[in-house]
Amino acid sequence: MRETVTDQKRQILRQYFGYDAFRTGQEELIDSLLAGRDVLGIMPTGAGKSLCYQIPALMMEGITLVISPLISLMKDQVGALNEAGVHAAYLNSSLTPGQYQKALAYAAAGRYKLIYVAPERLVTEDFLRFALHARISMVAVDEAHCVSQWGQDFRPSYLKIPEFIRRLPARPVLGAFTATATAQVRDDVIRLLALNHPKVLTTGFDRPNLYFAVQNPADPYRAAREFLDGHKGDSGIIYCLTRKGVEEVCENLIRDGFLATRYHAGLSDEERRRNQDDFIYDRRRIMVATNAFGMGIDKSDVRFVLHYNMPKNIESYYQEAGRAGRDGEPADCLLFYRPQDVVTNRLFIENNRDNEELDPAAREEVMERDQERLRRMVGYCYTEGCLREYLLAYFGEKTDGPCHNCSGCDAGGEAVDVTEEARAILTAAAYSGGRYGAGVLADTVRGARTEKILRFGMDRCPSYGILAGVAPDRIRRIITGLQGRGCLVVTGDRYALVGPGPKAGAVLNGEERILMKLPQEEVKAKKTKAKKAAGALEGADASLFERLRALRLEIARAEGVPPYFVFSDKTLAHMCIVRPHSKEEMLTVSGVGAYKYEKYGEKFLDCIRRETGAPERRKR
Ligand code: ADP
Ligand code: ZN
């Protein structure tokens, strides 16, 4: 009996999704759901949560409802499912009343195995009329953390889910899935969704294919350009903290000839949809956006995520950065940090109106928590050790030492004694009384004669010009390092001013020395590590890859679907290595299932045959 279920699962995995093996955690969650036991799956973005309910949905009798917070998410997932040969539909406010009624009628007639629905819809009359008479065997709740007000994206409509389930004639098995859940959020999810003795499974949060880097560039736009030069032809997202930031960066990039587009809450629905589609369909490779963009975008070939500003907490950072490299191929996650970002984030936290329905004490608590999260985020920017270690430790995971795949590890080298330089900077900070920004402090110790320095009288500071020969980058690094050690603190309500912190005294009076690991001089953005997806391919393989990519784009345009719906970068790269010349060989390529083969297999085979000649000449 067990044997056959296992076979069936694998067969579905192969046939519909084209994969050979389950990833960590998937099989356990699938088995549990099939056995009728609720689950809570906590897995990082890109780990493959969707399959955990899609596969049982295909194996169970009846319908699976998938509750999902965002329209774009549903559209994407339903599109991908239909592309793979699964009957699925979504019900949300993007449908006209006519379309909605039609979809409901089809649903009632049993046409769909999976139905994606927005939480607000659940307890509406129309929907209930359908649901009460349908055979709903499973309910999967995506982004389940939205039910908790301690999470970062609380959505009150999620609280309607248990009410809806109680009204169903038979209780379906429940699966809840999320990428971010601290212990508190996890407990909330179980309690508020009323999961019944669920199997709780947390897989590792590590994303080994992502390269993490932090920089503190003097000129962020220039640094961004250099970074983009290392990513020609790649898809990527640039996150800015503010709408204004998005506008500026996007305009500059377009002026400089990049195919960029933008997304933030201040744009019309129409423009947002258009821009998002331009990005997804590879008409515009670079998306410049606020954090309003991304939830539910599962474009799998995003090769980089650049944070132009530091986000408000590590949860957001890891989720946004995690949109890179979902196909498992190498991708870059670079974060720019400036003290001004701390100030902007503090203002956001203080002016946050999301929690207005909370009582004052609870609101105070939430705000304090947010400030603490911000401090941990700042800590990330200051880490001189392994960045991955820091991130995973934040989520309560231990690592076996440094990862050798982040800028912290690459900086390598021994910690050097920078006490004298530190004292010069701290002297300037003390002299300024914390009234100026980091730039003025750096200019002071370097002995610059700028208008500001003269106006502020910093040329009379005892440490003026002491570090005249030292590279500006190094001074910036040391200032950042001093902030990380509590020797300098960011003050100021609107501007990031830097003053002496609690630990400054001990350094100034010689009680403490400062050791820092400084990266080799002049760390430049172009040194980022991740290779392009095809970067591992060379010569003939690389040129075949480009051919296949072009063919994919042609097919995608003709069918009006995003290119990665056809095949992922990873699948194309795999084809270049396997070089299939027959159907059987093609079906061994990861990501090529029977259904996709029927649709596209021959075209890709032809292209490979043309490029690589007859099979007998091929060496295996
Ligand atoms: P999540 O929802 O956890 O962020 P997805 O369900 O969108 O992740 O999956 C991310 C990517 O991984 C998708 O492209 C998906 O097709 C792929 N994937 C999922 N499971 C497997 C598997 N067992 N083998 C190979 N690829 C997989
Ligand atoms: Zn590392």
Side-chain angles (χ1 to χ4, degrees):
M1 216 19 231
R2 259 209 72 77
E3 220 63 281
T4 53
V5 170
T6 305
D7 288 350
Q8 208 188 340
K9 264 183 329 208
R10 286 185 191 275
Q11 200 196 330
I12 289 179
L13 182 68
R14 183 76 241 164
Q15 180 185 348
Y16 289 98
F17 303 96
Y19 301 130
D20 281 325
F22 286 107
R23 290 192 182 152
T24 318
Q26 285 180 328
E27 207 165 3
E28 281 166 273
L29 290 173
I30 292 172
D31 286 344
S32 181
L33 288 168
L34 286 174
R37 180 171 171 199
D38 289 357
V39 306
L40 168 56
I42 305 169
M43 300 160 109
T45 311
K49 287 184 282 299
S50 334
L51 284 191
C52 300
Y53 55 80
Q54 288 166 349
I55 289 186
L58 289 169
M59 294 173 67
M60 287 177 184
E61 287 188 23
I63 298 170
T64 290
L65 290 183
V66 183
I67 298 168
S68 166
L70 274 190
I71 292 177
S72 59
L73 178 97
M74 300 187 200
K75 194 176 149 205
D76 228 42
Q77 295 245 345
V78 167
L81 282 172
N82 284 304
E83 192 67 13
V86 176
H87 296 287
Y90 54 83
L91 297 172
N92 61 37
S93 58
S94 76
L95 302 179
T96 63
Q99 288 172 323
Y100 184 75
Q101 291 306 334
K102 194 162 155 194
L104 266 185
Y106 282 159
R111 188 180 284 210
Y112 308 120
K113 273 317 269 184
L114 286 114
I115 297 173
Y116 285 68
V117 57
E120 302 78 38
R121 294 266 148 181
L122 292 173
V123 289
T124 60
E125 219 172 288
D126 279 357
F127 189 77
L128 275 174
R129 203 170 323 126
F130 151 72
L132 295 182
H133 297 101
R135 173 150 182 209
I136 296 172
S137 32
M138 172 163 60
V139 173
V141 183
D142 210 356
E143 313 284 359
H145 62 276
C146 291
V147 77
S148 165
Q149 68 186 25
W150 300 118
Q152 14 145 28
D153 326 281
F154 172 52
R155 279 167 197 258
S157 57
Y158 264 60
L159 295 169
K160 297 189 175 135
I161 297 171
E163 179 193 335
F164 167 75
I165 288 171
R166 266 194 304 274
R167 295 177 66 166
L168 294 177
R171 185 185 185 278
V173 62
L174 270 183
F177 299 87
T178 174
T180 56
T182 54
Q184 189 169 22
V185 172
R186 185 189 57 210
D187 294 346
D188 264 9
V189 170
I190 296 175
R191 186 170 54 84
L192 296 171
L193 291 180
L195 298 181
N196 185 11
H197 301 288
K199 170 163 191 66
V200 180
L201 188 137
T202 311
T203 63
F205 269 68
D206 191 17
R207 300 277 311 276
N209 60 319
L210 301 185
Y211 179 84
F212 289 98
V214 174
Q215 283 182 15
N216 176 218
D219 179 347
Y221 185 68
R222 222 180 94 189
R225 293 263 334 243
E226 281 173 12
F227 175 73
L228 293 176
D229 284 342
H231 276 284
K232 289 220 169 75
D234 287 345
S235 261
I237 307 173
I238 301 180
Y239 278 112
C240 301
L241 263 185
T242 61
R243 296 176 189 183
K244 192 161 149 263
V246 169
E247 303 280 339
E248 271 175 27
V249 173
C250 186
E251 252 167 51
N252 288 338
L253 287 175
I254 290 173
R255 184 200 62 209
D256 291 342
F258 289 89
L259 282 173
T261 184
R262 59 185 187 167
Y263 191 105
H264 60 67
L267 303 174
S268 67
D269 286 356
E270 160 61 24
E271 181 177 352
R272 269 185 301 183
R273 197 160 39 236
R274 193 172 60 233
N275 295 353
Q276 175 171 321
D277 280 355
D278 280 348
F279 177 65
I280 289 178
Y281 289 76
D282 284 351
R283 292 186 289 259
R284 302 249 155 192
R285 295 269 182 188
I286 301 172
M287 172 56 87
V288 189
T290 60
N291 62 2
F293 177 76
M295 205 206 243
I297 303 295
D298 67 6
K299 185 167 167 50
S300 67
D301 62 352
V302 173
R303 294 268 70 81
F304 65 85
V305 172
L306 167 60
H307 278 81
Y308 205 81
N309 305 99
M310 180 191 75
K312 63 179 190 286
N313 56 42
I314 301 232
E315 286 92 338
S316 313
Y317 179 64
Y318 206 60
Q319 191 166 50
E320 287 158 16
R323 295 188 176 123
R326 293 171 78 129
D327 52 11
E329 293 290 299
D332 263 326
C333 304
L334 172 61
L335 185 154
F336 288 168
Y337 164 77
R338 268 152 297 157
Q340 180 64 41
D341 300 338
V342 183
V343 177
T344 312
N345 275 306
R346 269 187 207 151
L347 283 177
F348 279 153
I349 292 172
E350 279 154 24
N351 298 316
N352 182 0
R353 300 270 165 270
D354 288 353
N355 300 311
E356 268 178 351
E357 73 274 25
L358 300 182
D359 64 69
R363 199 157 60 213
E364 188 64 28
E365 205 181 327
V366 170
M367 195 185 296
E368 183 39 49
R369 227 174 272 257
D370 287 348
Q371 297 285 10
E372 175 56 25
R373 284 183 179 154
L374 176 61
R375 285 191 281 274
R376 303 283 299 272
M377 183 73 243
V378 174
Y380 176 76
C381 303
Y382 292 139
T383 328
E384 284 156 36
C386 174
L387 294 173
R388 180 171 267 105
E389 219 164 58
Y390 187 98
L391 290 170
L392 294 177
Y394 182 84
F395 295 111
E397 243 179 69
K398 281 216 175 57
T399 42
D400 334 319
C403 74
H404 304 295
N405 191 27
C406 76
S407 64
C409 286
D410 282 350
E414 290 292 297
V416 291
D417 190 324
V418 295
T419 310
E420 291 317 310
E421 288 153 296
R423 288 172 72 166
I425 294 163
L426 293 179
T427 301
Y431 187 81
S432 79
R435 279 170 302 159
Y436 313 126
V440 170
L441 298 186
D443 283 348
T444 302
V445 293
R446 286 178 48 236
R449 294 192 68 76
T450 64
E451 183 269 328
K452 263 193 192 164
I453 293 282
L454 300 179
R455 178 152 49 94
F456 296 159
M458 287 302 282
D459 54 335
R460 291 192 298 276
C461 164
S463 61
Y464 179 77
I466 284 189
L467 304 183
V470 181
D473 255 16
R474 182 176 169 101
I475 294 178
R476 296 178 64 79
R477 280 277 166 176
I478 297 174
I479 290 179
T480 309
L482 288 172
Q483 285 174 256
R485 288 169 173 73
C487 295
L488 288 174
V489 290
V490 177
T491 60
D493 296 334
R494 291 193 53 92
Y495 301 104
L497 310 179
V498 179
K503 302 278 173 59
V507 179
L508 281 170
N509 64 29
E511 281 167 26
E512 245 176 62
R513 303 201 69 78
I514 298 284
L515 297 176
M516 270 184 210
K517 252 176 31 178
L518 292 177
Q520 281 83 40
E521 296 301 314
E522 305 291 309
V523 212
K524 281 280 155 60
K526 59 178 177 277
K527 281 231 195 110
T528 45
K529 262 298 186 51
K531 298 189 193 93
K532 288 182 175 187
L537 304 172
E538 285 171 356
D541 285 344
S543 77
L544 177 59
F545 182 82
E546 289 311 322
R547 294 281 168 154
L548 297 178
R549 251 203 205 189
L551 172 61
R552 175 179 68 178
L553 191 62
E554 198 180 293
I555 295 175
R557 294 241 158 109
E559 298 205 356
V561 298
Y564 67 93
F565 272 24
V566 177
F567 285 128
S568 69
D569 276 7
K570 186 175 188 148
T571 298
L572 296 188
H574 200 200
M575 279 183 203
C576 295
I577 292 160
V578 177
R579 305 232 165 171
H581 276 70
S582 66
K583 177 174 178 183
E584 290 67 46
E585 289 175 346
M586 187 58 121
L587 284 171
T588 66
V589 172
S590 171
V592 184
Y595 186 81
K596 286 240 176 120
Y597 179 84
E598 289 310 321
K599 275 182 100 168
Y600 311 119
E602 286 301 327
K603 284 188 178 146
F604 282 85
L605 272 181
D606 281 347
C607 179
I608 293 168
R609 289 196 194 106
R610 266 201 313 277
E611 287 294 304
T612 60
E616 47 282 5
R617 280 199 274 121
R618 207 164 29 107
K619 277 194 243 125
R620 293 223 77 181

